[in-house]
Amino acid sequence: MSRVPNTTRKDGIYHFRRAIPLDLRPVLLRSELCCSLRTCDAVVARNLTRTLYLRSQELFIVARNVQTLTESDLAALVQDFYATVLERENQLRLIGQTSLSEKERLARVAHYSRVLEQTRNDLATNNFASADMIAASMIKKHGWSAKLTELDVRLVQQAMLRAGCDLAEAVKARFEGNFTYVPKDMLLQVELNRASAQDTAQRDGH
């Protein structure tokens, strides 16, 4: 009988052993899978090893798709995105040399209405690719590139679309003379509420 793959023998007993891929070791907190097969029979050991090998493959697939981002992480990211875009939009307003004509103002309102409609459609149809560039930019900005799973990246893309809906509404409101728009998405509200509570705590501490 040839050697049984992915096993070692100790005192005649077969033990299953398989190295964990390097990228999954920080997730699974170990470098190897190992367990006794409780048999001295090579045929039995081979069958058990084959089953464990397939199960370990499934484990690796699941581990690679485990979400690592928390709601707080996503909330901080979308708030950064939301605040940055609105700040830049206002800077452009402040450095403008001339005021908009009514025709230009209405054109901007119509434009952001279309942006809102398209973003909502992308969100509804899971068109995450439409947010790929901005999601990649925010992931890089926050230093998360090395730690995110494929599922995490999709969550960020979805969060960008959610924030994008509120952004389109906020900018549209500004061209309608309303600078007090409050975002509706829960991710943005979570971070805004956290920041507000933090400010209150700091004031009370003085």
Side-chain angles (χ1 to χ4, degrees):
M1 178 67 69
S2 61
R3 180 180 176 278
V4 179
N6 292 99
T7 65
T8 58
R9 294 185 73 179
K10 184 177 181 181
D11 298 327
I13 301 295
Y14 284 94
H15 292 255
F16 173 77
R17 296 184 67 181
R18 184 179 183 187
I20 293 174
L22 291 175
D23 64 309
L24 293 180
R25 292 180 186 183
V27 178
L28 299 176
L29 301 179
R30 61 180 64 193
S31 60
E32 184 181 62
L33 298 175
C34 183
C35 68
S36 172
L37 298 179
R38 300 182 181 180
T39 183
C40 298
D41 189 311
V43 174
V44 174
R46 188 180 296 275
N47 289 333
L48 289 172
T49 297
R50 186 180 296 114
T51 299
L52 288 174
Y53 190 91
L54 292 174
R55 293 292 179 269
S56 64
Q57 284 290 97
E58 294 172 359
L59 172 65
F60 297 157
I61 291 171
V62 170
R64 283 195 172 97
N65 287 282
V66 171
Q67 179 183 337
T68 58
L69 290 180
T70 65
E71 183 183 67
S72 180
D73 290 331
L74 287 171
L77 184 147
V78 297
Q79 176 59 25
D80 182 10
F81 170 56
Y82 183 85
T84 298
V85 173
L86 287 186
E87 182 180 356
R88 289 177 180 172
E89 193 274 340
N90 200 49
Q91 286 298 316
L92 290 175
R93 286 174 173 271
L94 295 175
I95 64 175
Q97 298 300 309
T98 58
S99 59
L100 294 175
S101 68
E102 181 64 5
K103 181 179 179 180
E104 290 172 323
R105 185 189 72 80
L106 292 175
R108 303 288 176 87
V109 170
H111 169 72
Y112 284 103
S113 294
R114 291 192 295 271
V115 171
L116 173 60
E117 183 179 0
Q118 183 59 57
T119 306
R120 281 178 173 167
N121 185 66
D122 288 340
L123 187 59
T125 58
N126 300 328
N127 183 18
F128 302 125
S130 65
D132 184 60
M133 290 184 64
I134 186 61
S137 175
M138 295 303 296
I139 288 170
K140 182 178 180 180
K141 180 180 180 181
H142 284 251
W144 295 345
S145 300
K147 79 168 192 173
L148 299 191
T149 66
E150 183 178 346
L151 177 60
D152 285 323
V153 173
R154 282 178 157 251
L155 279 169
V156 173
Q157 292 171 337
Q158 185 183 60
M160 290 298 98
L161 289 173
R162 290 169 61 177
C165 290
D166 267 312
L167 269 173
E169 288 208 69
V171 179
K172 174 176 173 288
R174 287 184 174 188
F175 283 106
E176 294 171 331
N178 177 15
F179 278 68
T180 60
Y181 174 83
V182 177
K184 301 182 182 70
D185 192 272
M186 288 301 297
L187 281 175
L188 285 165
Q189 289 183 8
V190 163
E191 185 62 15
L192 289 172
N193 291 339
R194 184 200 63 77
S196 176
Q198 189 177 54
D199 289 343
T200 300
Q202 290 176 346
R203 287 197 300 271
D204 292 343
H206 286 309

